[in-house]
Each structure stands twice: as structure tokens, then as C-alpha cells.
């Protein structure tokens, strides 16, 4: 069952954690990387892409209405970061937030450092924007430190669908749009 621990092999190209594993990761992130915990919480619960999360605008975050609007993403070209529109036309969307995510984002905003003029919601402790690759590296380090099965940050996005199903949501089709296998 824990063959990945012995071999480092991942059983499939896209893997997702169980709800318990996701919860363990988020608990670990809250304790050991509180600067990025709210971003990881948002990705895990609402399925944002990495670029959408790091590119989330302050003006697009409407916590009193429990929603965010995706209008841009931050992408990388080498070490250079660029603002771009969402990946597709369907990427422009309004996302409803659950009360736990609203609470996590409110707590973050209340203690967030003064920001530069980027207009981004998530910023580093020095107020500068997060580099998307830095977010991914810290995600991987947290997974290793927590001894959880290896997944990519992109897989955490797919895991949001698993969490939604575990909470009772239903898919609109007989075959889910994500091709994932949960870890045992």
C-alpha cells in the first residue's frame, strides 16, 4: 500500500489525496507555512490553478459575498513572471466560497503584510508577489515533511473535485471531468 515510500514510484500520472490526507496536509501547512496556508486551502477546496491562485486580485476577492472572480493568472517564462488572462474563456469565472474558506481568507487578509502596488491578494511576508515556482517548491517540501504521498500542486486542484464528491456533490456526467485515482 505504501509502495511509493519504498520506491518513490507514483502509481499514476494524476493522483489525488483522500479527504483525510488533504486535511492532514492543510493542518501541516497551517502550522509550518502559515504564509501559504490560505492559498493552499483555496486551491484544495475550490480547485483553482496555481497561476489563478497566485494571480488572484484583491479587487476580485469578495468575502462579504463569499465569492472570488478569476480574471487573470500569473505564469512563468523562466524566472520571469507574467500576468495573463485565464487559461481559457471558461477560466473567467465566479467561484462561490464555503464558510471555512472565507474564514481562512479573512484571517489571512487581517494579518497580511502591507502589499506593493501589485493589487494581488496573496503576497509574500515582505509584501511582494509570490513567484509561482516558489509556491510549488514549498508545496513539495511540505508534502515531504508531512510524509504524505507525493502529488503535484496541480493534483491538489483535481483533489478539490474529490472533496466535493465526499461532501455530497454530484457530477453532471457519468464520467467525471478529472481522470484521477485517490491514494489508498
Amino acid at each position: 500500500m505504501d509502495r511509493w515510500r519504498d520506491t518513490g514510484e507514483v502509481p499514476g500520472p494524476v493522483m489525488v489525496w483522500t479527504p483525510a490526507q488533504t486535511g492532514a496536509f492543510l493542518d501541516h501547512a497551517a502550522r509550518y507555512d502559515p504564509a501559504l496556508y490560505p492559498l493552499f486551502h483555496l486551491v484544495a477546496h475550490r480547485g483553482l490553478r496555481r497561476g489563478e491562485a497566485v494571480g488572484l486580485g484583491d479587487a476580485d476577492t469578495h468575502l462579504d459575498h463569499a465569492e472570488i472572480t478569476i480574471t487573470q493568472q500569473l505564469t512563468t517564462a523562466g524566472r520571469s513572471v507574467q500576468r495573463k488572462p485565464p487559461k481559457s474563456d471558461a477560466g473567467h469565472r465566479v467561484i462561490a466560497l464555503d464558510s471555512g474558506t472565507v474564514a481562512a481568507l479573512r484571517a489571512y487578509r487581517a494579518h497580511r503584510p502591507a502589499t506593493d502596488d501589485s493589487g494581488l491578494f496573496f503576497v509574500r511576508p515582505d509584501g511582494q508577489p509570490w513567484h509561482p515556482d516558489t509556491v510549488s517548491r514549498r508545496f513539495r517540501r511540505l508534502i515531504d515533511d508531512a510524509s504524505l504521498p507525493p502529488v503535484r500542486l496541480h493534483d491538489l486542484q483535481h483533489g478539490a473535485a474529490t472533496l466535493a464528491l465526499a461532501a455530497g456533490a454530484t457530477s453532471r456526467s457519468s464520467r467525471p471531468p478529472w481522470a484521477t485515482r485517490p491514494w489508498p
Side-chain angles (χ1 to χ4, degrees), residues 99-116:
S99 60
T101 301
V102 169
L105 298 181
R106 279 189 196 282
Y108 169 76
R109 185 174 9 193
H111 297 96
R112 177 177 66 180
T115 62
D116 66 357

Side-chain angles (χ1 to χ4, degrees), residues 121-184:
F121 184 80
F122 293 112
V123 293
R124 300 182 325 217
D126 65 2
Q128 297 297 308
W130 284 103
H131 190 288
D133 293 342
T134 300
V135 172
S136 292
R137 277 193 304 277
R138 288 175 66 165
F139 177 76
R140 286 189 300 274
R141 185 175 44 216
L142 286 166
I143 291 170
D144 290 343
D145 292 347
S147 297
L148 287 164
V151 298
R152 302 167 302 157
L153 182 53
H154 184 74
D155 298 332
L156 190 62
Q157 171 198 351
H158 289 287
T162 300
L163 291 178
L165 289 173
T170 58
S171 175
R172 284 188 257 172
S173 69
S174 59
R175 184 168 188 270
W178 54 91
T180 60
R181 292 178 48 201
W183 282 97

Side-chain angles (χ1 to χ4, degrees), residues 2-20:
D2 285 344
R3 180 176 164 86
W4 63 271
R5 287 186 200 273
D6 298 330
T7 66
E9 290 179 29
V10 177
V14 178
M15 298 299 297
V16 296
W17 287 325
T18 64

Side-chain angles (χ1 to χ4, degrees), residues 68-82:
I68 59 173
T69 304
I70 303 302
T71 62
Q72 66 182 1
Q73 64 175 331
L74 294 185
T75 63
T76 59
R79 252 331 261 172
S80 175
V81 177
Q82 303 169 341

